[in-house]
Amino acid sequence: MVYLDNAATTRPFDEVTELVGKVMRQDFANPSSLHHLGIQAEEHLEKARQILADALQSTTGEIYFTSGGTETNNMVIKGAARAHQRKGKHIITSAIEHKSVLETCQALEREGYEVTRLPVDSNGMINLASFEESLRDDTILVSIMHVNNETGVIQPIDRVNEILRDRHARPLFHVDAVQSFGKTPLHPHPSGIDLLTLSSHKVHGPKGTGALFRKQGVNLTPLLDGGAQEGGLRSGTENLPGIAGFGKAVQMNFNDVFEKQLHMGHLRNRLRKKITDAFEDVVVNTPDDPQAAPHILNVSFPGLQGEVLLRKLESAGIYVSTGSACTSGKNKPSHVLQAMGRTRDVVQGALRFSFSIMNSEEETDQVMEHLVPAVKRMRKMMG
Ligand SMILES: Cc1ncc(COP(=O)(O)O)c(C=O)c1O
């Protein structure tokens, strides 16, 4: 099996699955319980919180555990909108965000908020001048993703911060860092980020676990009412095995993190070169370094169906994606490639290869062994 769908999800590290099992078997108590089993359970929670705080160069008081990236994005956008509506009802985001941001913004529009979706250029980058122009006195939140999940393009987070820093009524700044965590360096404090979203299953941790970084003092209205766990921001008994596993995964990712990023970037560049050498008319949707994260390569074969190519590769044991797995179950045309101005042919012919530290050079060779004849055969069939 060649698994190259790591932007959809990653295989958990063995150490993670072992720890998850151990916590479920032995440390199953409720971390809020006062007895010593509860305290033992709480230690896992606080250890994971410390690991995340260290990875983000923040403090443990700024880390809150959730059920994943989707929940954190909802919690931030709805929570900030509700907490700050007296200051204004305008939100800025980009056209290429993950659906958990775009759909949440749409839900707020139905409640009377106004949303500006920044367009992107052919590389998928927002335009900073248009961003500055879109800022208003009643803008309460700016939500821009760091790395895009379909193409790997990196948004200029520090430049956005520089523009926001000079505003007298500065809106809150949220960054969806689900795809960049461990892949492309980002530290919320120096980058002026108030709120940041993380997800465990993109970094070899368990699914259904995520986190929010919230800068001290930033006000959010909680989505859930209940037992006031996680500092009152996220009620509900914590997913202790998942959180412990998330902590372990982050610890392992951030051990020699730079070498890991170089490895993924090397595989991505190697496959990109092989594909562009082999196919004259291929369209590369992932920009060149340093504008892209190391783990994603999105290419289009105009005139072919990405999904048919995906099936051909699958029959050879190679697993890739046509775009965003979270939406591609429905196989809708990619809103990201459309926003980048790609033609219908190019959008339909897109394939995403996404790497992790578990992949090897040989696997990129295996891809080419099957991709080249598959494309040739499909082209021949189409005349
Ligand atoms: C950029 C981005 N944000 C948010 C999410 C949602 O995260 P989760 O699957 O943990 O809900 C994803 C998942 O694909 C993503 O790629």
Side-chain angles (χ1 to χ4, degrees):
M1 173 173 100
V2 177
Y3 184 76
L4 290 173
D5 199 13
N6 290 283
T9 197
T10 52
R11 196 181 101 196
F13 291 123
D14 290 344
E15 291 85 341
V16 167
T17 51
E18 270 163 38
L19 181 63
V20 169
K22 180 183 163 281
V23 173
M24 291 189 85
R25 281 191 304 273
Q26 292 175 19
D27 300 322
F28 55 84
N30 190 322
S32 299
S33 291
L34 295 180
H35 48 70
H36 92 269
L37 290 182
I39 293 166
Q40 223 166 288
E42 198 192 2
E43 277 170 14
H44 286 291
L45 201 58
E46 294 319 312
K47 184 171 179 195
R49 208 184 302 281
Q50 185 67 58
I51 293 168
L52 263 77
D54 290 347
L56 292 178
Q57 297 178 0
S58 67
T59 60
T60 51
E62 293 171 313
I63 307 293
Y64 301 84
F65 289 110
T66 68
S67 71
T70 299
E71 183 187 332
T72 309
N73 283 342
N74 270 267
M75 185 173 168
V76 163
I77 297 167
K78 290 176 184 158
R82 285 171 191 150
H84 300 276
Q85 57 185 309
R86 277 213 258 139
K87 280 191 231 149
K89 286 190 144 192
H90 180 233
I91 295 168
I92 300 173
T93 187
S94 86
I96 63 162
E97 298 295 312
H98 188 261
K99 291 285 178 186
S100 56
V101 168
L102 291 177
E103 298 287 322
T104 303
C105 286
Q106 237 177 53
L108 285 175
E109 276 177 323
R110 293 193 286 272
E111 290 178 25
Y113 289 82
E114 253 186 273
V115 178
T116 300
R117 292 168 189 80
L118 299 171
V120 293
D121 65 16
S122 60
N123 275 331
M125 298 283 277
I126 59 164
N127 180 299
L128 289 162
S130 331
F131 166 61
E132 195 161 5
E133 273 165 32
S134 70
L135 281 163
R136 313 189 323 206
D137 289 342
D138 64 342
T139 308
I140 49 170
L141 178 70
V142 173
S143 179
I144 306 286
M145 74 196 320
H146 187 204
V147 166
N148 179 267
N149 47 302
E150 292 192 35
T151 69
V153 63
I154 303 173
Q155 297 301 338
I157 297 300
D158 285 327
R159 304 284 306 282
V160 170
N161 174 42
E162 280 163 27
I163 293 168
L164 289 177
R165 212 171 37 198
D166 297 338
R167 309 244 348 145
H168 72 275
R170 184 184 169 280
L172 291 175
F173 185 22
H174 167 237
V175 174
D176 176 348
V178 165
Q179 289 290 344
S180 71
F181 191 46
K183 316 288 190 330
T184 306
L186 183 69
H187 298 114
H189 285 294
S191 296
I193 295 166
D194 299 293
L195 299 149
L196 181 119
T197 300
L198 301 177
S199 173
S200 154
H201 72 107
K202 311 288 185 181
V203 293
H204 307 280
K207 292 170 184 52
T209 305
L212 160 71
F213 158 87
R214 181 187 67 154
K215 195 170 119 185
Q216 232 134 37
V218 169
N219 197 12
L220 287 185
T221 302
L223 282 187
L224 302 178
D225 297 309
Q229 287 89 342
E230 293 300 294
L233 254 193
R234 205 279 183 175
S235 285
T237 303
E238 291 91 346
N239 170 7
L240 196 65
I243 293 168
F246 187 14
K248 185 72 176 175
V250 172
Q251 194 175 41
M252 291 180 67
N253 272 284
F254 277 79
N255 184 14
D256 291 331
V257 67
F258 188 57
E259 278 75 24
K260 292 187 171 91
Q261 290 163 2
L262 282 180
H263 176 69
M264 289 183 272
H266 168 69
L267 297 182
R268 194 243 356 232
N269 292 345
R270 184 180 157 94
L271 186 60
R272 180 188 349 225
K273 176 148 191 345
K274 281 172 183 279
I275 290 177
T276 50
D277 284 351
F279 305 104
E280 248 177 36
D281 62 342
V282 74
V283 176
V284 180
N285 299 312
T286 297
D288 290 333
D289 286 333
Q291 278 189 2
H295 64 306
I296 298 179
L297 175 64
N298 190 313
V299 291
S300 291
F301 298 91
L304 302 186
Q305 295 284 332
E307 197 183 340
V308 178
L309 266 176
L310 176 149
R311 298 279 170 228
K312 297 256 186 255
L313 291 175
E314 184 185 8
S315 63
I318 298 167
Y319 296 91
V320 301
S321 162
T322 53
S324 158
C326 313
T327 45
S328 71
K330 297 181 212 144
N331 205 24
K332 277 201 198 154
S334 156
H335 68 285
V336 175
L337 298 183
Q338 282 177 328
M340 287 161 66
R342 297 292 194 264
T343 59
R344 234 179 85 178
D345 252 20
V346 173
V347 174
Q348 283 181 347
L351 269 193
R352 180 186 70 181
F353 301 91
S354 50
F355 300 90
S356 84
I357 49 174
M358 295 181 182
N359 292 120
S360 66
E361 277 190 0
E362 293 71 49
E363 291 180 322
T364 61
D365 297 340
Q366 269 172 273
V367 169
M368 293 308 289
E369 254 170 56
H370 296 279
L371 184 65
V372 172
V375 170
K376 282 195 179 147
R377 232 174 295 130
M378 280 167 70
R379 289 227 166 106
K380 217 169 171 185
M381 272 166 56
M382 294 177 68

